[in-house]
């Protein structure tokens, strides 16, 4: 599989709380679902996180239903790159921008 065979087409929502755990839907071109990772990467800090999904969360070999990773310790909105990679490094997709925002703690009133 060449690097060009993994292509992200659309995402349901490109933002998440830094607490993570938010459900998102990612649409790609049809792909071989074995050994895939959803990789979030912040070039400035070097932070890397992985979307959480199981094989049953990949539909029609092109739609991922996943949960966002936590990005602890951020104090402002932070844009990162999101891509689909083969875990063995044999292929990677284009990347899209994804934004994490700090988890807000509601004051008890």
């Amino acid at each position: 599989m060449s690097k060009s065979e993994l292509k992200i087409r659309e995402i349901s929502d490109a933002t998440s709380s830094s607490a993570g755990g938010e459900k998102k839907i990612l649409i790609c071109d049809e792909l071989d679902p074995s050994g895939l990772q959803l990789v979030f990467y912040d070039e400035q800090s070097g932070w890397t996180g992985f979307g959480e999904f199981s094989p049953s969360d990949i539909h029609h070999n092109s739609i991922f239903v996943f949960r966002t990773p936590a990005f602890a310790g951020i104090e402002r909105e932070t844009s990162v790159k999101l891509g689909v990679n083969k875990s063995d490094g044999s292929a990677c997709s284009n990347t899209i921008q994804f934004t994490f925002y700090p988890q807000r703690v509601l004051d008890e009133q």
Side-chain angles (χ1 to χ4, degrees):
M1 176 176 284
S2 72
K3 292 187 185 297
S4 64
E5 290 185 43
L6 298 178
K7 179 144 181 75
I8 296 173
R9 291 290 179 182
E10 190 68 53
I11 190 165
S12 61
D13 175 22
T15 64
S16 176
S17 162
S18 62
E22 294 184 18
K23 186 184 280 189
K24 307 293 179 187
I25 298 170
L26 184 72
I27 302 171
C28 300
D29 283 353
E30 190 168 339
L31 43 74
D32 173 4
S34 61
L36 292 177
Q37 298 176 321
L38 298 179
V39 182
F40 295 77
Y41 179 70
D42 179 23
E43 292 179 319
Q44 291 188 356
S45 70
W47 171 85
T48 300
F50 296 92
E52 295 178 18
F53 66 94
S54 68
S56 64
D57 294 326
I58 302 174
H59 305 280
H60 303 288
N61 291 340
S62 61
I63 301 169
F64 290 82
V65 178
F66 71 97
R67 295 207 177 265
T68 58
F71 190 173
I74 62 171
E75 296 179 4
R76 59 178 171 73
E77 285 190 359
T78 303
S79 292
V80 302
K81 291 184 176 183
L82 167 59
V84 180
N85 297 342
K86 284 288 196 176
S87 57
D88 65 4
S90 65
C92 60
S93 73
N94 57 311
T95 58
I96 60 172
Q97 182 174 304
F98 192 93
T99 302
F100 285 92
Y101 55 88
Q103 182 180 9
R104 304 279 189 238
V105 178
L106 298 175
D107 294 330
E108 291 184 23
Q109 297 186 14

